[in-house]
Amino acid sequence: MDQYLQEAIRKALLNMNLDEDQIPKIVIETPRDPSHGDSATNIAMQLAKPLRNNPRKIAEQLIDEMNLDSKKVSSVEIAGPGFINFRYATDYLYDELEHILSSGDYFGRSDQNSGKRILVEFVSANPTGPLTVGHGRNAVLGDTVARLFEWTGAEVQREYYFNNAGRQMRVLGQSVQARYLEELGKDAELPEGGYEGEYIKEIAKTLVEKHGDSLLNEVDESIFKAEAESAIFDEIRKTLERMNIVMDSFFNENTLYENGSIDKTIEEFRKKGVAYDKDGAVWFKTTKFGKDKDTVLVKSTGEPTYRLPDIAYHANKLDRGFDLCLDVFGADHIDTYPDVLNGISVLGYDKQRVDVLVYQFVTLVKDGKPFKMSTRKANFVTLDELMDEVGEDVTRFFFLMRSPNTHLEFDVAQAKEAGEKNPVFYLQYAHARIQSILRKAADVADFSENADLSQLVHDAEVALIKKLLGFPEAIELATKHREPHRVITYLNELASGFTTFYHDCRILTDDKKLMQARTELARATAQVLANGLSILGISAPDRM
RNA sequence: GCGCCCGUAGCUCAACUGGAUAGAGCAACUGCCUUCUAAGCAGUAGGUUACAGGUUCGAUUCCUGUCGGGCGUACCA
């Protein structure tokens, strides 16, 4: 419809002797207030200045020149300072409702990103411990944005980037080693800054089971580290799976050392004159890109900082031919992003192909009080514990509920309440309720013949159909802005629209034609709810 | 100090990236279950969009400044 209106307006403007390049972008929007019509444009106001004319006059002229199909648009009016409001014809609504029903699981999909290959990198927590609530937002946002890309036609790969070679991992190995010794009755102390979590002991125990005391005299921590890594990764994978997340690939930072990308990156930087030696370290001339300091790439110890592999990693991703690489990370990592962009553009890549989704921190609220966490200190709530407590659907929902750009308060008490306080049930309940009605409808009538949708004339029915039609747009916006919460906002409005309809219009009535039409409307609503929930990775139960 | 993000109803947050009378959910209050699921519905109350300027037909949205909060600002990741 938007396209149709844009085209009609454009033609009308051309008839008004405007040149192609005089026409600004024609924006069609859905007014907040339904009394302002179904679609509106501000084009007349935009043209007021260049045409030096009153916007309402321009609107009048424009409407005269427009040639609209009465099967699609029933009325056009000028309102306020110069808005042009369009109202849809009911025939159009019935056709579109028909379209939803025949599209089924596909309704809402688009070709916005078709032909694109997109890599979404997320979670990317080093295997030093179980995933915590802090990682949860990252995981769910990344996966859901990936789903949005899929719904808009892209081919998506989900990748988990990790590093098992750094100092943290060494300390982890040493922590396991210490617990292993303790397990065998020896005196041992956790290393400085060691990991205190209970899971370390568990890993030590499995080592005792596997190897007995044969590792007593190991001099370094590598065996312990290896065991810890694989045990922790198993857990992480399980946790993710439980959240409906399956990675397509795990990328080990070490690959970049082995295949020479790291060295190559440094060489290339030197060649381009953006790297230099000072105090035994190698520096990246980030001042050249507007930062107030240069940045160390390789420490005087010879060990690279994380920035260097980050740059090499992004080059690697781009080499793999992705049209877009999206990184998902928390606000604390934002500072590395410009360095990576500058780094890859030095290497000759197009910065536009890398984008980032930054989210603000999660505050877990327990017993009405914020709860501070640290992985190393083992005072954290794992994602598994959270899911045990509130369930998988609720967990996903809460992480998606808010704009990534704002701090998220995860109130465990609220999430646990199965009742009215919990917003996820509102959507699932609407779906279950419709399914229940459809089951009953199947008992009382035979729906083999086509329904006469023109029976749907009640305000609540018409409003619901219009809301259903807004689904593709909601997905488009959510994808464009990488903001899954827009889908939730939409679904809430949809569910609310359905409940109004449910309340005002009895579906199972004696009037068979009417019942059939209403049943179809309910079925379409259930379909859109289910489609929306599947984008969010949340179940749409048939019974509750 | 500098950089990024944020400040909207008592609380948690929306507002289609500059549009029309700023909206939901909790919490509060008033009604509604012999009728398809009351995990629901209808209604009431609640606001100087932190503050002060500016840009224009029009600002919660953009610009400047002030105040308040979060995160960075390492030869840590």
Side-chain angles (χ1 to χ4, degrees), chain A residues 129-147:
Chain A
L131 294 181
T132 68
V133 170
H135 301 116
R137 194 176 198 185
N138 188 309
V140 177
L141 273 175
D143 181 63
T144 307
V145 168
R147 285 166 193 254

Side-chain angles (χ1 to χ4, degrees), chain A residues 97 456 461 464-465 468 501 517-526:
Chain A
L97 179 56
L456 304 170
E461 294 169 332
L464 179 54
I465 298 173
L468 288 168
F501 157 66
R518 285 181 172 169
T519 306
E520 289 301 277
L521 176 54
R523 195 159 68 82
T525 307

Side-chain angles (χ1 to χ4, degrees), chain A residues 355-367:
Chain A
D355 196 9
V356 64
L357 168 56
V358 179
Y359 60 90
Q360 302 296 319
F361 281 176
V362 178
T363 316
L364 195 65
V365 176
K366 285 185 93 174
D367 315 313

Side-chain angles (χ1 to χ4, degrees), chain A residues 130-196:
Chain A
L131 294 181
T132 68
V133 170
H135 301 116
R137 194 176 198 185
N138 188 309
V140 177
L141 273 175
D143 181 63
T144 307
V145 168
R147 285 166 193 254
L148 282 167
F149 284 142
E150 285 164 347
W151 270 71
T152 52
E155 186 192 317
V156 179
Q157 182 168 337
R158 292 165 173 78
E159 184 157 285
Y160 188 123
Y161 176 71
F162 71 99
N163 153 19
N164 59 356
R167 194 180 65 86
Q168 290 302 320
M169 287 300 290
R170 238 174 6 247
V171 173
L172 176 76
Q174 288 159 3
S175 303
V176 174
Q177 185 168 25
R179 294 301 188 204
Y180 172 81
L181 295 174
E182 279 178 4
E183 209 49 50
L184 294 172
K186 307 282 177 196
D187 274 345
E189 268 184 28
L190 277 184
E192 180 81 18
Y195 289 82
E196 296 171 17

Side-chain angles (χ1 to χ4, degrees), chain A residues 2 28-30 469-478:
Chain A
D2 285 6
I28 308 289
E29 54 181 25
T30 312
L469 301 190
F471 185 54
E473 190 192 6
I475 295 174
E476 245 170 71
L477 286 171

